[in-house]
Amino acid sequence: MNASESATTILIHLAGGVALLIWAVRLVRTGAMRAFGSQLRQALQSFTRNRFAAFGSGIAVTMVLQSSTATTLLVSSFAGQALIVPAMALAVLLGANLGTALAAFVISLDLGWIWGLCVAVGVAMYLSSEAMERPRNIGRVLVGIGLILLALIELNAAAAPLAQSQTFRTVLAAMGSEPLLGILAAVAATWMVHSSIAVILLVATFAASGLFPSATALTLVIGANLGNALIPVLDQLGAPAAQRRAAIANFATRLVLALAILPFVGPLSQGLLALPSPDGRLAIEFHVLLNVLGALVFLPFVRPIMALVGRLVPGGEAKAQAVAPRYLDASALDAPTQALACAMRESLRLGDRVEAMLRDTMTLLEKDELKLSRAIAAADDGVDTIHESIKLYLVKVSRNELTEEESRRLFEIITLITNLEHIGDIIDKNLRELAEKKIRKRYSFSPEGLGEIRDFHHRVAAALALALNVFATRDLDLARQLFADKAAMREAERRAADSHFQRLRSGRPESIETSAIHLDIIRDLKRIHGHVVSIAYPILETANELRESRLRETKDAARARETPAVLIPSPQAGG
């Protein structure tokens, strides 16, 4: 094997080891969230009575999840819903910082053959527990831990030859002479893999192989520590201020710590080398000490820190918060059942918003308030925003391995929000504009015509309320009731049209001038009802209550009802 082939092989092994490490860390986090997600959430909410309890819960939860980013997103979500005091949220995150360092410390211990045992037991649990989700996910965690240990062994083997490469040493030496470059490289690497544990373990492995001096290793650890706090800040850029403050405060504390420690990296590296532990654990132990120091310095001052961040990041955005999604918890994305529950809550909130728009539309038709028309238009903008947020959230959920039941629920949610968005558009683009046209031309409905519109509107509003109940309960009887209402609506539409044409024939002036608007309103309400009934289709299809020929049969039946009978003489009859 020549030199170029040898270098290529080393780089391939190195890339494979890094990829395996990143994937394994994600596997552990996903399995832990699915297996213990609800208990971890309860722990974070329960143990925040004081800063020390909050700090301890942050350590414990993060060591289980293997990700302070996941913990930060959880806590930020709670803070955004006022379920946790801001100061206690920061205390949890300071604990999460230390929890990440301790998790890396435990994983980096020389466990040798333990990786094989973890993978074997994990695979056995995963394959033998197909009907039970928690054992399968615990197996997923064990497999992930085993693969992390295997990745570290592979990285050690791949990095050893690189230590002899003068070119590689020159590149890393240049990074060591420019601490800012090293920090930026570590921040970028942590952002790319979304895991400081993976980057810290990688730095420790390379340092143990002699690829760069100890001072460079400490600089990279500072960068990874800083990058890990930056991830949730960037991930929540569009979130309300109350939700972002804890993550911003945590990033600020790490930034202050990095700026204070960086000038002393050289002496610190020499001092740590004098400790009796192996040289290869320098980066790991420094990471732990860095976060212990951060906790000691900042934990006593969590209240003034959060008060300062509150002033720097004001929450004067009540209108923006009103249209922003409230229940789409990004930290639940690795647990599909919980994530779908979040999407369901947000979808029902979207349904309430559309119900309010439909209710306001009737008020607008009766009272001619142009101010209300503008409010309806603004409400539809909010519907579009929330619909888009739920849709993108479901896309992320769908990247997980979903059970058949989870896939079915995801489809039901998509069906609901799609129909709600269409209803919002009909209200905004059609009914609202028809109402404005009536106001501008100073038209008035006849008492009978307004009564018909009011009755038709009441039927549609009742159907929408029933559809939301069908979605929430998945009750088959309610779904049948909603679907059966289609025939009644067709009959109500026919009666309304007949009554309107009778008034036109009688020459009622109000009916004549509002005829086009009246008929268009009835038509649009009928279209809304069609979207409402569509919400029940997934539940009925799951129960095999719908036949593929239902549309054709409905048209044939309608044609039979509407076509007058034609008497055809029999052959025996006379001419």
Side-chain angles (χ1 to χ4, degrees):
M1 180 182 296
N2 58 42
S4 62
E5 290 174 337
S6 177
T8 301
T9 303
I10 292 171
L11 290 176
I12 289 174
H13 279 280
L14 194 63
V18 172
L20 182 61
L21 178 62
I22 294 168
W23 177 254
V25 170
R26 175 177 172 78
L27 197 62
V28 173
R29 182 173 68 246
T30 302
M33 181 61 80
R34 293 185 184 181
F36 309 109
S38 58
Q39 290 89 336
L40 295 175
R41 290 164 180 269
Q42 291 170 5
L44 283 176
Q45 286 184 267
S46 302
F47 298 103
T48 54
R49 296 181 298 275
N50 59 69
R51 69 191 68 192
F52 300 106
F55 179 74
S57 67
I59 294 175
V61 170
T62 305
M63 288 193 70
V64 174
L65 290 180
Q66 303 279 296
S67 172
S68 63
T69 299
T71 305
T72 302
L73 293 175
L74 271 173
V75 172
S76 297
S77 174
F78 293 157
Q81 299 174 50
L83 299 177
I84 183 173
V85 177
M88 296 305 101
L90 178 56
V92 172
L93 298 190
L94 291 173
N97 299 341
L98 182 56
T100 296
L102 292 175
F105 181 88
V106 172
I107 291 172
S108 67
L109 295 174
D110 187 9
L111 301 177
W113 52 270
I114 295 294
W115 77 265
L117 180 64
C118 289
V119 171
V121 174
V123 170
M125 290 184 67
Y126 186 86
L127 295 179
S128 62
S129 307
E130 293 187 6
M132 301 174 66
E133 282 300 309
R134 175 164 289 183
R136 281 169 63 87
N137 286 315
I138 293 175
R140 194 191 302 264
V141 171
L142 290 174
V143 170
I145 292 173
L147 292 180
I148 289 174
L149 299 175
L150 179 60
L152 294 177
I153 294 172
E154 177 67 15
L155 286 170
N156 270 312
L162 287 178
Q164 311 304 320
S165 170
Q166 189 58 42
T167 302
F168 204 73
R169 280 180 169 277
T170 302
V171 172
L172 293 176
M175 185 180 294
S177 63
E178 294 290 343
L180 182 59
L181 178 61
I183 285 181
L184 291 177
V187 168
T190 306
W191 164 253
M192 287 175 61
V193 303
H194 264 52
S195 172
S196 65
I197 290 181
V199 175
I200 295 295
L201 292 174
L202 190 62
V203 169
T205 302
F206 284 175
S209 301
L211 288 178
F212 39 65
S214 55
T216 302
L218 300 194
T219 301
L220 294 174
V221 167
I222 292 173
N225 199 56
L226 187 61
N228 195 43
L230 182 62
I231 292 170
V233 173
L234 297 179
D235 283 352
Q236 299 182 102
L237 283 178
Q243 184 173 326
R244 291 184 283 122
R245 288 187 188 118
I248 292 172
N250 186 47
F251 174 73
T253 61
R254 290 209 201 182
L255 181 60
V256 169
L257 193 62
L259 294 175
I261 296 293
L262 192 58
F264 307 102
V265 161
L268 277 173
S269 64
Q270 296 304 316
L272 291 173
L273 285 174
L275 296 177
S277 61
D279 294 349
R281 300 189 56 75
L282 175 67
I284 298 293
E285 292 170 352
F286 175 70
H287 190 214
V288 174
L289 291 173
L290 186 65
N291 286 290
V292 168
L293 179 61
L296 292 174
V297 171
F298 297 111
L299 191 58
F301 306 105
V302 288
R303 293 186 187 280
I305 291 172
M306 288 306 298
L308 176 61
V309 172
R311 288 194 293 270
L312 295 176
V313 187
E317 47 187 50
K319 184 177 179 181
Q321 291 188 32
V323 299
R326 185 178 299 167
Y327 303 113
L328 301 181
D329 188 353
S331 64
L333 285 171
D334 287 334
T337 301
Q338 295 180 40
L340 290 172
C342 294
M344 175 182 169
R345 291 181 69 191
E346 195 66 52
S347 299
L348 289 172
R349 178 174 171 244
L350 179 65
D352 292 340
R353 194 176 187 86
V354 172
E355 270 193 309
M357 287 178 63
L358 185 61
R359 189 167 54 246
D360 289 344
T361 300
M362 192 64 234
T363 304
L364 179 63
L365 288 169
E366 291 179 319
K367 298 185 177 180
D368 296 348
E369 297 179 1
L370 281 175
K371 183 179 179 180
L372 185 57
S373 176
R374 292 190 292 271
I376 292 172
D380 184 58
D381 292 339
V383 167
D384 292 340
T385 298
I386 297 173
H387 166 262
E388 189 68 17
S389 298
I390 298 173
K391 183 175 67 175
L392 295 177
Y393 187 81
L394 292 175
V395 168
K396 294 177 182 177
V397 174
S398 67
R399 293 169 184 162
N400 290 286
E401 180 184 345
L402 303 181
T403 64
E404 183 178 348
E405 176 63 21
E406 289 167 347
S407 298
R408 187 179 300 122
R409 193 53 170 162
L410 186 143
F411 178 67
E412 291 169 6
I413 296 172
I414 290 176
T415 300
L416 173 72
I417 65 171
T418 301
N419 283 290
L420 289 176
E421 196 269 339
H422 288 329
I423 292 170
D425 284 345
I426 294 172
I427 293 172
D428 180 39
K429 305 297 190 301
N430 297 79
L431 290 175
R432 185 181 65 82
E433 292 185 1
L434 289 170
E436 285 197 356
K437 179 179 179 181
K438 169 181 169 289
I439 294 171
R440 287 194 304 270
K441 296 195 174 185
R442 301 182 182 277
Y443 289 161
S444 296
F445 293 117
S446 67
E448 297 87 349
L450 183 60
E452 288 169 0
I453 292 174
R454 190 183 293 117
D455 177 67
F456 213 84
H457 178 275
H458 175 73
R459 284 174 173 271
V460 174
L464 179 56
L466 177 60
L468 294 176
N469 289 336
V470 168
F471 170 77
T473 63
R474 306 170 89 176
D475 185 89
L476 191 56
D477 289 335
L478 292 180
R480 292 193 189 105
Q481 179 183 335
L482 181 62
F483 185 77
D485 195 41
K486 287 183 68 174
M489 285 298 294
R490 282 195 300 270
E491 181 61 23
E493 181 187 24
R494 186 189 63 78
R495 288 199 307 269
D498 288 347
S499 177
H500 178 70
F501 283 119
Q502 286 176 9
R503 290 193 297 275
L504 290 179
R505 284 195 295 270
S506 67
R508 294 285 295 272
E510 305 102 313
S511 299
I512 293 172
E513 67 181 9
T514 62
S515 178
I517 295 176
H518 180 100
L519 293 176
D520 283 346
I521 289 173
I522 295 295
R523 179 206 63 193
D524 289 331
L525 288 173
K526 176 69 164 42
R527 287 174 59 203
I528 289 175
H529 188 267
H531 286 295
V532 168
V533 173
S534 297
I535 294 170
Y537 285 177
I539 289 92
L540 293 170
E541 287 173 352
T542 300
N544 292 321
E545 292 280 329
L546 294 181
R547 292 177 294 176
E548 293 184 3
S549 59
R550 67 182 184 276
L551 294 177
R552 179 179 57 79
E553 291 175 353
T554 300
K555 290 176 182 177
D556 290 344
R559 190 180 299 114
R561 287 195 303 271
E562 295 170 4
T563 303
V566 178
L567 298 179
I568 301 177
S570 66
Q572 290 81 10

